[in-house]
Amino acid sequence: MNHLTDPARRGRALCLLLGVLLGGVGVLPASAGPRYTVGQTVKFDLVTADTRPLSSADLSDRVVAVTFWQSTSEHCLAAMPHLREVFERYTPQGLAMVSISVDDDPAAADGVAAMRGMEWILAHNIDQDKPINAQFFTGQYGVPHAFLLAPGGELVWEGHAADLGPEVEDALAVYLPDYASVVAGQSETPAVSQESAAAIAMQAYQAVFSSEPDFHQLFLLIESLPEDTHTLADVKKFGRSIARSLSRLDPQQQSNYDLYREAKPEVAAQLDRWLEKSRQSISDIDASRNQPSVNPAVVARRFEEAEQAEADGDLLTAYDHYRWIVNRAPASDEAVLAQDVVIVLESDPAFMAQRELAAQEQKARELLIMAQNYQGARLEDKAKETFLKIIQDYPNTQAAEQARIAIDE
């Protein structure tokens, strides 16, 4: 797979090395030190350009190409058509591509990436807590450089990004020989189950739910959502929430969204058709349902507070308001939208753990106030009993720490 015995490749390597010696930019220097050698397992962690955490473990079922590039490098720009060809040709066969910009200006890199059609996973070296180049190199490095990983992370090749294509083809043939046929078989399936379609729709909503929407993921998911599922109730409800999220984009996010729409007009049209089906469905959800027993003005105010908390990034407060609406006014129009957010948040284990901790803090805080009131009334035994209950029932809370201090005093 290394093709090191290929005379043409040896000649190309010598030419590239001469380019470095003569002051050329963008080729791996002779003194570079890749951290891994072929056969070793590569591990990496990064945050993508659209702020999603990503690790090698997340891509362990794919052949992965990791490339380093710079927007001002002529060699990198010359390699872009080749990389796009590799992406378009081999992604359906099981390839995942990750490109790391080493630019000092992430905005410049984003602009080049948009113009060059880099629709795969992108990240900026300068934005990382631990620079990605340090995860792949021990010394100097140059661009464009590529690493090719087998499923599970084993390094099978590293070299100039312009040589990536044949290596990818070989790796896919060896490690994922049946991937394309399996995917093709899936695509020939005449219908997607309601559960599967709803799962895709929920993931699409998750992609735009956060303060930094992931339009790349959104468009990929829309492509995989068959239009004959757009009228399913569980699909329409997430369409309503996507429309709401898209209506609240800030100017920069709107500009990015428009770029994706221009690049993928057919997918954008499919998204629009889904959102229109979802919008029409609000009036016919269930005409026979009972009217909400809670004052509609109260429900509307709660919903506004929930939306504001969500926009501010305070998901705990937003969740509490949305859940209140779903529980107390399930027949209201607000509940139709609130339940979508509740479903997404309740499917996130990290958020639910955070909410449980917040609930424990609240209960412990209430007991702490009670204990302090006992102290004020000089009921020391009751105060101590309550302090001990806080420590026993809620040991990891801030209130428990204050209870320990009170007992020691």
Side-chain angles (χ1 to χ4, degrees):
M1 293 197 54
N2 213 337
H3 303 295
L4 292 179
T5 58
D6 187 332
R9 289 188 180 230
R10 286 204 308 271
R12 175 180 173 80
L14 288 173
C15 289
L16 295 176
L17 179 57
L18 282 173
V20 174
L21 296 175
L22 294 175
V25 178
V27 185
L28 187 68
S31 59
R35 186 172 294 279
Y36 300 96
T37 59
V38 171
Q40 291 184 318
T41 299
V42 175
K43 295 182 179 180
F44 62 85
D45 291 279
L46 55 85
V47 175
T48 64
D50 49 11
T51 71
R52 290 180 297 135
L54 181 72
S55 72
S56 48
D58 297 326
L59 303 173
S60 61
D61 61 340
R62 309 284 291 275
V63 169
V64 182
V66 180
T67 67
F68 288 83
W69 71 289
Q70 188 172 19
S71 64
T72 56
S73 164
E74 293 183 5
H75 295 278
C76 292
L77 298 180
M80 286 303 172
H82 173 69
L83 291 179
R84 181 167 178 80
E85 180 182 350
V86 168
F87 169 73
E88 292 177 345
R89 180 174 180 181
Y90 295 114
T91 295
Q93 300 179 40
L95 174 70
M97 283 182 61
V98 183
S99 285
I100 316 301
S101 159
V102 296
D103 288 83
D104 292 332
D105 181 4
D110 288 340
V112 172
M115 288 188 294
R116 299 280 175 160
M118 297 173 67
E119 298 179 357
W120 50 93
I121 301 170
L122 304 176
H124 301 301
N125 198 56
I126 197 171
D127 288 343
Q128 311 297 317
D129 290 336
K130 180 181 179 182
I132 310 170
N133 65 316
Q135 300 181 50
F136 281 83
F137 297 96
T138 58
Q140 281 186 292
Y141 67 97
V143 290
H145 198 72
F147 294 80
L148 190 62
L149 316 180
E154 178 188 347
L155 179 64
V156 296
W157 176 84
E158 55 93 10
H160 197 284
D163 291 333
L164 187 60
E167 307 296 343
V168 169
E169 185 170 2
D170 288 350
L172 291 170
V174 171
Y175 296 102
L176 296 175
D178 300 322
Y179 188 94
S181 60
V182 170
V183 173
Q186 292 173 343
S187 65
E188 293 167 3
T189 303
V192 173
S193 70
Q194 180 167 348
E195 293 78 10
S196 298
I200 294 172
M202 183 175 76
Q203 292 170 26
Y205 174 41
Q206 288 174 321
V208 294
F209 173 70
S210 67
S211 58
E212 292 296 333
D214 183 354
F215 299 124
H216 175 72
Q217 182 72 359
L218 172 66
F219 275 64
L220 287 178
L221 289 164
I222 298 305
E223 282 186 294
S224 67
L225 184 67
E227 292 209 29
D228 60 7
T229 67
H230 287 182
T231 57
L232 296 175
D234 283 346
V235 172
K236 288 192 292 187
K237 69 182 182 183
F238 289 113
R240 293 192 294 273
S241 293
I242 286 176
R244 186 165 58 92
S245 292
L246 292 177
S247 70
R248 291 161 28 186
L249 299 177
D250 64 32
Q252 181 59 55
Q253 292 168 345
Q254 183 66 51
S255 176
N256 292 339
Y257 175 58
D258 291 341
L259 285 175
Y260 274 94
R261 291 184 64 87
E262 292 173 8
K264 296 275 190 177
E266 294 181 0
V267 183
Q270 183 179 343
L271 172 60
D272 291 342
R273 289 191 291 272
W274 176 28
L275 299 187
E276 177 60 20
K277 291 287 186 182
S278 300
R279 185 191 66 77
Q280 292 174 353
S281 72
I282 290 180
S283 61
D284 61 8
I285 293 167
D286 185 358
S288 64
R289 66 190 180 182
N290 296 325
Q291 291 300 311
S293 57
V294 179
N295 186 329
V298 175
V299 177
R301 187 181 71 250
R302 279 270 190 167
F303 189 79
E304 289 178 2
E305 292 172 352
E307 287 197 307
Q308 185 58 55
E310 182 186 336
D312 293 340
D314 184 0
L315 296 185
L316 288 172
T317 299
Y319 174 85
D320 288 341
H321 286 316
Y322 285 133
R323 170 50 75 184
W324 184 92
I325 293 169
V326 171
N327 291 343
R328 297 290 302 277
S332 66
D333 287 336
E334 288 85 356
V336 173
L337 297 172
Q339 68 179 347
D340 303 344
V341 183
V342 169
I343 289 172
V344 170
L345 291 176
E346 290 183 348
S347 68
D348 183 348
F351 172 79
M352 293 307 291
Q354 181 186 6
R355 182 173 180 272
E356 176 60 26
L357 180 59
Q360 290 186 10
E361 287 283 3
Q362 178 62 29
K363 292 176 182 177
R365 173 63 56 184
E366 291 170 358
L367 285 175
L368 183 65
I369 293 172
M370 183 185 300
Q372 291 168 341
N373 288 338
Y374 284 139
Q375 275 188 321
R378 298 185 179 180
L379 299 173
E380 298 298 339
D381 288 344
K382 294 291 292 183
K384 183 175 181 180
E385 178 185 336
T386 308
F387 283 135
L388 290 174
K389 180 174 177 59
I390 296 170
I391 295 170
Q392 178 180 340
D393 293 352
Y394 309 105
N396 298 319
T397 62
Q398 294 179 2
E401 182 62 29
Q402 290 179 265
R404 294 186 187 97
I405 293 172
I407 289 176
D408 291 342
E409 293 176 348

